[in-house]
DNA sequence: CAAAAAATACGTGGTAGCACGTAGGGTAAG
DNA sequence: CTTACCCTACGTGCTACCACGTATTTTTTG
């Protein structure tokens, strides 16, 4: 029913997830929905970009957020910048507000949890394809709990973690002390402290307890 | 080819995962393998136990480790104790040695990562069904790296985290201080410190940095 | 080349987290 | 009833983490 620019009324999808099992599961879940066509699937952000270049007719990209290498959020930004007409639907295990906010800032049109049923998933795809948005119930609750409209505007700048910071974060996660990290990287302990401080600021965490959770959810550890 | 006690040569499977997408994905991945029959699927440990009681002919249970409520490890223990003939194949995102060791202690016959391909998964199922074991390459590496045969024998006692400890762990994860937790639970700050210490001892972590990772991997947070 | 960002580094100071030891009351299991 | 476990609680002391301010060198980017 919804008017679109593609010749037929079907919705063409690209699936992106590093787990073959999940890609396969989604594909098969959507098979009975005759108006939803999975025309391509990728196991990494890099591969997804290649497929986007060779598949001009895509309507919706369904992408996992936590992937090694290029994260789902980065991929979403790339899609927003290079193929603004394509709708992005995020798929994730988690629904902390930091992650949800990042997806919104990256231009995501919807956010579905991996616990979603077939019915919910296909509904979400049709909604975003029709130009609307869709959020799983738990995700919507997260958004309502923290009415931080500020974070979607102000904090939209750059929680970009640098290579060095990430390196230090990984050593922290392995329970190394500042001194140990300093000796391992041949830098001053003060420098490690500074990196630590910058990490906390960028992730808006109060301590390592929050930072580690951020790191795991964003797949920043090995 | 492998001789078995079931009338025909097919392997009867129970799938357990809280994510419908993954259950569906596995089911469809195994569909072409005519000797592997998915006869039941559950979305929780509780449901799995019910299905185990009503399906006597099961050969292999393929179960996800991180599920809300009853964890995969607990379920594996229950299967080992009540249906010792059934082979358990664990399925997980992670392969840290603590988790792998727990699965072995719980009587698991194999451990496959969620990144596994169709070929690897079906091979793993046939291996465990035939009485052998199977571990994904990364998992095997983990086992070889830490030849802590001690941990499989000595530490097999009880990293059992109590209800109260888990409650405190969740508050810690929300970045609350000892004092805040004490006030919230109407107990002394000293008591919170003791719980903290016991948590570190039971999980063999050096600090909260390690404990938080343990908690996330073991699905101990909300 | 100029501007911006990243990586490096120091000082001062507070306090929360953690080590280690000890112990009494409640409750469930043998 | 005894044993074991959980939850509760205190004391002492150390130090790693964190807050806040500042600044130079190197690299990247426009």
């Amino acid at each position: 029913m919804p008017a679109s620019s593609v010749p037929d009324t079907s919705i063409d999808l690209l699936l992106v997830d590093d787990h073959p099992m999940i890609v396969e599961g989604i594909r098969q879940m959507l098979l009975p929905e005759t108006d939803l066509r999975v025309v391509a699937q990728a196991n990494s952000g890099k591969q997804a970009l290649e497929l986007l270049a060779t598949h001009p007719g895509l309507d919706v990209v369904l992408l996992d957020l936590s992937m090694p290498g290029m994260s789902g959020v980065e991929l979403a930004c790339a899609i927003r910048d290079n193929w603004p007409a394509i709708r992005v639907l995020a798929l994730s295990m988690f629904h902390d507000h930091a992650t949800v906010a990042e997806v919104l800032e990256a231009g995501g049109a919807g956010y579905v949890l991996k616990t979603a049923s077939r019915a919910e998933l296909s509904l979400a795809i049709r909604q975003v394809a029709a130009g609307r948005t869709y959020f799983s119930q738990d995700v919507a609750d997260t958004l309502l709990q923290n009415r931080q409209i500020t974070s979607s505007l102000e904090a939209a700048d750059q929680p970009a973690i640098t290579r060095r910071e990430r390196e230090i974060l990984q050593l922290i996660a392995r329970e190394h002390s500042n001194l140990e990290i300093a000796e391992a990287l041949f830098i001053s302990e003060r420098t490690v402290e500074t990196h630590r401080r910058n990490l906390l600021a960028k992730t808006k965490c109060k301590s390592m307890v929050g930072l580690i959770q951020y790191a795991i959810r964003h797949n920043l550890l090995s």
Side-chain angles (χ1 to χ4, degrees), chain A:
Chain A
M1 277 75 110
S4 78
S5 58
V6 289
D8 55 345
T9 57
S10 79
I11 298 170
D12 286 4
L13 294 163
L14 166 62
L15 305 185
V16 190
D17 195 309
D18 56 320
H19 301 297
M21 282 181 197
I22 294 180
V23 172
E24 188 68 16
I26 296 171
R27 226 170 64 80
Q28 296 293 342
M29 274 174 90
L30 297 179
L31 218 53
E33 316 287 336
T34 52
D35 58 328
L36 306 181
R37 291 196 316 185
V38 177
V39 299
Q41 49 198 56
N43 293 307
S44 70
K46 191 166 166 292
Q47 197 187 345
L49 290 178
E50 292 167 8
L51 290 171
L52 279 160
T54 55
H55 290 72
L58 285 171
D59 299 303
V60 176
V61 175
L62 183 58
L63 58 80
D64 180 35
L65 287 186
S66 61
M67 291 185 294
M70 174 184 281
S71 78
V73 173
E74 289 174 78
L75 180 55
C77 290
I79 294 172
R80 177 197 56 193
D81 295 340
N82 297 296
W83 297 275
I86 295 183
R87 306 284 288 170
V88 170
L89 180 56
L91 192 63
S92 174
M93 308 271 274
F94 312 108
H95 57 279
D96 54 298
H97 40 77
T99 309
V100 176
E102 277 186 357
V103 170
L104 292 180
E105 287 155 20
Y111 196 117
V112 180
L113 295 181
K114 283 198 176 170
T115 52
S117 65
R118 174 201 310 261
E120 184 183 358
L121 182 60
S122 50
L123 171 63
I125 293 172
R126 292 197 186 91
Q127 289 282 353
V128 300
R132 289 188 286 272
T133 57
Y134 183 88
F135 300 96
S136 288
Q137 190 56 52
D138 286 341
V139 179
D141 290 345
T142 301
L143 284 173
L144 292 175
Q145 268 176 32
N146 305 47
R147 282 210 162 276
Q148 293 178 333
I149 309 161
T150 53
S151 76
S152 296
L153 300 172
E154 289 180 315
D157 25 28
Q158 64 284 50
I161 288 165
T162 67
R163 215 180 309 164
R164 191 60 155 175
E165 284 165 355
R166 183 175 157 159
E167 196 176 355
I168 284 169
L169 176 51
Q170 292 180 344
L171 291 172
I172 292 172
R174 288 177 200 152
E175 303 203 64
H176 294 296
S177 70
N178 283 344
L179 183 58
E180 288 170 340
I181 296 171
E183 287 171 352
L185 300 180
F186 303 106
I187 57 178
S188 159
E189 191 177 351
R190 297 315 182 91
T191 308
V192 180
E193 284 176 11
T194 304
H195 284 305
R196 237 184 155 99
R197 198 200 317 173
N198 292 337
L199 279 166
L200 288 179
K202 286 183 180 176
T203 59
K204 299 189 190 68
C205 291
K206 291 178 187 170
S207 70
M208 289 302 108
V209 168
L211 185 61
I212 290 298
Q213 293 176 74
Y214 179 95
I216 292 180
R217 299 205 198 296
H218 291 253
N219 220 274
L220 298 176
L221 307 182
S222 74

